[in-house]
Amino acid sequence: MKTSLINTVWFSEKRKNVLLLLYEGERDIEQIKKSLNVTSRSIMPQIKTLKHNNLIKQEQDQFSLTTIGKTIVKSMLPFLCTSRIVEENKDFWASRNFDAIPPHLFSNIRKLGHYFLIEPDINHLFELPREFIENIPKSKHVTTFVSYLHPAFPSLYSEASLSGVKISLFVSEKALEKIKKEYFEQFNELMKITNITVFLCKENPKIPMVTVTDWFSYICLFNKEGRYDHRDIISFDESALSWCQDLFEHYRINSQKLCQITEVE
């Protein structure tokens, strides 16, 4: 009975791992065994199956992917990367609200790469996360969107800008109203600093905060109940920085630059 390519590729972890390994480059059997921590007895039947299905080829003692094999593995990688993102923190992803992320970007969520889930510290729940505060001064430029304004934001960004950090700050209409009522003078002083630019985002995306710099990206999402539970994502991967920059380009289209803020009477 014929075995489908789907069964050949997905129904054996060993076969899948051989394909992924050979996608990086050709290997001999000893290199395959060492990389995958397997024995000849366990891996040779899988290699034989892959050869039989024209997914890998052997030239002397070297194994490599065929053209078909390369095409299939290239198609596998996005699914595997996305699966890894979700598998690492299933409960977190299952409980998030993704309305603020455009479909074309959400389909590329795998670009977050190797990320860290920041869990809330009950003793510092209402403070800006340490991981966020420590990495802002290390950056050369910072782009942030906020739909709420943490009390520590103005001073943190003011200090960073005085150190030469270039800052673009996008605020929602709700955040702007809070600024006018509670941080009017402080924020207008912030806007006088030449390397800080403030934008009003008219789209008002349902997201607490997202930040991208040349150094790291930091993403906060509401849960499905519409609450911010202080579980955040930080990533230092280049692909994650690029993904967040694309998200800001989406927000920028519906934003306008603010030159000053008028106080609520």
Side-chain angles (χ1 to χ4, degrees):
M1 186 176 75
K2 277 191 173 182
T3 303
S4 71
L5 281 178
I6 291 176
N7 290 346
T8 299
V9 173
W10 293 108
F11 283 19
S12 167
E13 192 72 15
K14 288 188 177 71
R15 289 196 293 268
K16 184 184 72 176
N17 289 339
V18 169
L19 291 170
L20 293 172
L21 179 64
L22 295 183
Y23 190 73
E24 299 174 2
E26 63 179 23
R27 302 284 196 279
D28 63 29
I29 188 60
E30 293 303 319
Q31 291 171 321
I32 293 173
K33 286 162 53 180
K34 185 175 181 180
S35 295
L36 302 183
N37 191 27
V38 293
T39 63
S40 295
R41 183 176 181 180
S42 65
I43 201 64
M44 285 309 298
Q46 311 309 328
I47 288 176
K48 183 178 179 181
T49 298
L50 292 171
K51 287 173 64 178
H52 178 74
N53 284 274
N54 194 35
L55 296 178
I56 68 174
K57 60 185 178 181
Q58 181 179 3
E59 295 178 356
Q60 297 182 354
D61 61 345
Q62 295 291 312
F63 294 92
S64 61
L65 295 178
T66 63
T67 301
I68 293 174
K70 289 178 183 177
T71 301
I72 287 177
V73 176
K74 188 175 181 179
S75 299
M76 289 166 53
L77 290 174
F79 172 79
L80 291 172
C81 291
T82 303
S83 295
R84 180 191 59 77
I85 291 283
V86 176
E87 284 284 344
E88 287 179 357
N89 295 284
K90 285 182 180 179
D91 292 343
F92 171 79
W93 292 106
S95 63
R96 295 306 96 181
N97 182 320
F98 301 112
D99 290 348
I101 302 175
H104 72 281
L105 288 176
F106 186 71
S107 65
N108 285 323
I109 199 75
R110 64 183 181 277
K111 289 188 176 181
L112 291 179
H114 297 281
Y115 67 93
F116 302 93
L117 179 62
I118 310 300
E119 296 285 0
D121 181 348
I122 194 66
N123 296 315
H124 304 279
L125 192 61
F126 299 105
E127 299 175 11
L128 284 173
R130 175 182 55 82
E131 294 84 355
F132 180 79
I133 294 174
E134 290 179 353
N135 282 290
I136 287 293
K138 297 178 183 178
S139 306
K140 295 179 181 178
H141 54 78
V142 175
T143 304
T144 292
F145 167 82
V146 290
S147 62
Y148 79 99
L149 193 73
H150 192 281
F153 254 100
S155 59
L156 174 66
Y157 278 41
S158 177
E159 289 175 11
S161 66
L162 293 174
S163 299
V165 180
K166 185 178 180 180
I167 296 172
S168 296
L169 179 60
F170 291 73
V171 298
S172 68
E173 292 182 345
K174 185 176 181 180
L176 182 60
E177 290 304 312
K178 185 177 178 68
I179 290 168
K180 289 179 178 180
K181 292 177 181 178
E182 301 180 24
Y183 305 98
F184 175 73
E185 292 184 5
Q186 191 177 8
F187 216 81
N188 264 330
E189 288 299 315
L190 191 71
M191 292 178 68
K192 292 178 183 178
I193 301 172
T194 56
N195 51 329
I196 294 182
T197 308
V198 180
F199 299 88
L200 172 62
C201 187
K202 294 184 177 180
E203 181 180 332
N204 199 24
K206 296 178 181 178
I207 190 169
M209 182 184 76
V210 58
T211 291
V212 62
T213 78
D214 53 294
W215 170 248
F216 76 106
S217 58
Y218 199 92
I219 301 170
C220 311
L221 296 168
F222 289 119
N223 61 24
K224 287 185 176 179
E225 287 71 44
R227 296 194 301 270
Y228 174 45
D229 56 14
H230 300 270
R231 301 178 76 196
D232 306 330
I233 287 174
I234 187 170
S235 176
F236 298 89
D237 281 16
E238 286 290 338
S239 59
L241 306 189
S242 177
W243 187 88
C244 282
Q245 286 163 359
D246 289 342
L247 181 61
F248 272 104
E249 286 307 310
H250 174 79
Y251 292 157
R252 196 183 303 272
I253 294 171
N254 294 310
S255 300
Q256 67 179 56
K257 183 178 177 181
L258 296 178
C259 296
Q260 64 179 9
I261 297 173
T262 55
E263 190 172 10
V264 175
E265 297 182 0

